Amino acid sequence: MSVETLLPAATSIECVAPARVNLLGEHTDYTGGLVLPMAIPFFTRASIAPRGTDEYHFRSDLFKGPRTLARDDRSPATKHWTDYPIGVLRQLQARGIEPPAFDLHLGGNVPFGAGLSSSASVEVASALAMLAFCGATLSAAEVALLCQRAENQFVHSPCGIMDQFAVTAARAGHALLIHTRDLSCEHLPMNQGALAETQIVVCNSMVRHSVASGEYGVRRRELEAGQAVLRQQFPQLRDLGDATPAQLEAARALMPHESYLRCRHIISDNGRVLQARDAMFAGDPVAFGRLMLAGHASERDDFQCSIDEVDFLVETAAALPGCFGARLTGGGFGGCTVNLVAREHSASFAAALKHAYQQRYSIAAETYICDAVDGAYARSPVATNLELAT
Ligand code: GLA
């Protein structure tokens, strides 16, 4: 890694980061568990150029209001969209990377509040642009961790590592199995056997989701309380990623019922991710789809992070021709469902699902038929500068 500050590039540099959808393993990423996201073809484009005055300037055609900061400004977050790139800037500064004055512009098309990682996409695109502008390089894992810290410490949103890591390190045509304890990862091909004849259809319930809002933090605290009890009972456990159903049952009476349910979801979802990995290698969409449906039931009943609209979308999807499986994806309490659908049915599936939702809730859902795309590194013009630490 090089942290020295070089002269600013003379012309504008553009970095692009995708969005992500998570196929399985939900809320497992802050207790050492497994997640299986893929990057999807929405993008944030960060364009950075030198600025004549000794300031940082942030503007966007996606968000309201530009903002200018003195280079030595260290004021806290202001609940403005610029908190995200400024949080990233602060983390770079904390590592000794002090970009020269710049003008940063953000564009793109990631839907906001849909649980598709619009924040991580903004953070990672901004981080890569600032790094390239300084001539500094960090590994993919370091970029992801830096962006997560920006969100945790500056924006005060208690997210895990999945989104930033997926957006940074994903590979086209693959899902990314992340072992969140040590950030090792596996790129799992999505084109084995009959899986090659399927597509991922994302359905946006249009009910807004936000990690920064209270429910995510409440679930996280309930889960961590359960994990603490388990660790006390079984000192060899590093985190919930190691825990077994039998250990949870043995400790059940020692923890609040909510914590028991949250832990049960995590332990069973970690198991489902491993089974999904087998299903992917076997090219078996039927097995994969069953795991998605079981994952949804667990989110709904044990983690209790679903809502009626999303349950309706999942149940309706599961009954439609060509659908192998469906579930809530992302943080929950709104947002999107992810559906595994036979390619030949994906367009009619999307239309039927939207129609049913409109009839039931009078809400116009959006659907996105997605293939897995590359993470920010591979799509970035500065990709050759950067190494992928996997
Ligand atoms: C949000 C967070 C992630 C993860 C998911 C739930 O997307 O940003 O870190 O916890 O929710 O799996």
Side-chain angles (χ1 to χ4, degrees):
M1 180 198 67
S2 138
V3 293
E4 78 268 34
T5 300
L6 303 179
L7 284 176
T11 51
S12 169
I13 295 171
E14 278 192 356
C15 290
V16 177
R20 71 95 189 90
V21 67
N22 189 21
L23 302 178
L24 258 175
E26 215 68 83
H27 289 274
T28 47
D29 67 337
Y30 43 90
T31 48
L34 307 173
V35 289
L36 189 60
M38 67 180 218
I40 56 174
F42 289 106
F43 68 92
T44 303
R45 182 188 298 113
S47 314
I48 193 163
R51 186 169 172 82
T53 55
D54 199 27
E55 294 158 326
Y56 297 124
H57 185 67
F58 301 85
R59 65 199 167 85
S60 173
D61 45 24
L62 304 173
F63 311 103
K64 282 213 182 89
R67 189 154 168 221
T68 306
L69 280 191
R71 279 186 64 214
D72 59 358
D73 185 298
R74 294 293 185 274
S75 54
T78 55
K79 297 206 182 300
H80 188 248
W81 66 268
T82 51
D83 287 349
Y84 292 89
I86 292 172
V88 168
L89 173 65
R90 291 289 158 77
Q91 288 298 327
L92 289 174
Q93 291 167 329
R95 293 186 69 120
I97 303 177
E98 280 284 348
F102 63 65
D103 192 294
L104 182 79
H105 176 267
L106 294 178
N109 63 1
V110 185
F112 301 123
L116 299 178
S117 295
S118 54
S119 315
S121 185
V122 163
E123 289 152 10
V124 171
S126 302
L128 292 191
M130 290 179 208
L131 282 165
F133 187 64
C134 296
T137 57
L138 294 177
S139 72
E142 284 172 318
V143 169
L145 285 165
L146 184 142
C147 291
Q148 183 199 16
R149 277 199 305 276
E151 191 149 343
N152 291 166
Q153 296 173 13
F154 193 72
V155 182
H156 298 296
S157 168
C159 65
I161 188 64
M162 168 170 68
D163 303 349
Q164 291 79 6
F165 198 92
V167 160
T168 307
R171 188 179 292 167
H174 294 73
L176 183 69
L177 198 168
I178 309 170
H179 301 254
T180 63
R181 183 188 296 129
D182 61 6
L183 295 190
S184 59
C185 67
E186 299 169 61
H187 294 276
L188 302 179
M190 302 195 56
N191 62 354
Q192 302 287 307
L195 266 178
E197 302 310 316
T198 63
Q199 268 187 317
I200 294 298
V201 181
V202 175
C203 181
N204 187 346
S205 71
M206 309 305 280
V207 180
R208 288 202 39 123
H209 138 107
S210 161
V211 171
S213 70
E215 298 281 14
Y216 184 98
V218 170
R219 291 294 179 282
R220 183 167 178 159
R221 284 193 292 280
E222 290 166 344
L223 183 60
E224 285 169 347
Q227 176 175 256
V229 172
L230 274 163
R231 274 184 179 146
Q232 224 169 23
Q233 295 304 301
F234 303 99
Q236 75 281 13
L237 284 189
R238 288 167 294 183
D239 48 42
L240 268 179
D242 282 338
T244 64
Q247 287 172 326
L248 178 63
E249 290 308 319
R252 178 175 186 167
L254 303 170
M255 63 179 75
H257 186 59
E258 283 72 28
S259 292
Y260 165 75
L261 290 177
R262 311 304 176 238
C263 291
R264 191 165 70 174
H265 164 71
I266 298 304
I267 294 170
S268 67
D269 233 22
N270 282 329
R272 278 186 287 273
V273 172
L274 290 176
Q275 292 174 54
R277 179 178 183 274
D278 293 342
M280 288 186 75
F281 283 127
D284 184 349
V286 175
F288 198 101
R290 265 197 223 112
L291 292 164
M292 292 172 80
L293 288 166
H296 183 75
S298 176
E299 283 187 274
R300 183 192 60 212
D301 302 336
D302 283 358
F303 211 76
Q304 297 178 321
C305 61
S306 190
I307 56 168
D308 289 350
E309 289 87 337
V310 165
D311 291 341
F312 175 84
L313 283 173
V314 168
E315 280 156 32
T316 306
L320 286 171
C323 181
F324 293 102
R327 56 178 284 277
L328 166 64
T329 187
F333 309 104
C336 291
T337 62
V338 56
N339 306 271
L340 182 68
V341 183
R343 192 175 287 272
E344 58 177 328
H345 287 283
S346 50
S348 57
F349 168 86
L353 191 57
K354 281 201 287 203
H355 179 72
Y357 193 64
Q358 175 77 43
Q359 296 287 105
R360 174 70 178 78
Y361 289 104
S362 304
I363 301 175
E366 290 180 0
T367 49
Y368 321 116
I369 300 176
C370 302
D371 288 315
V373 300
D374 279 326
Y377 272 67
R379 294 179 77 194
S380 158
V382 292
T384 49
N385 237 352
L386 305 164
E387 68 222 36
L388 183 60
T390 58

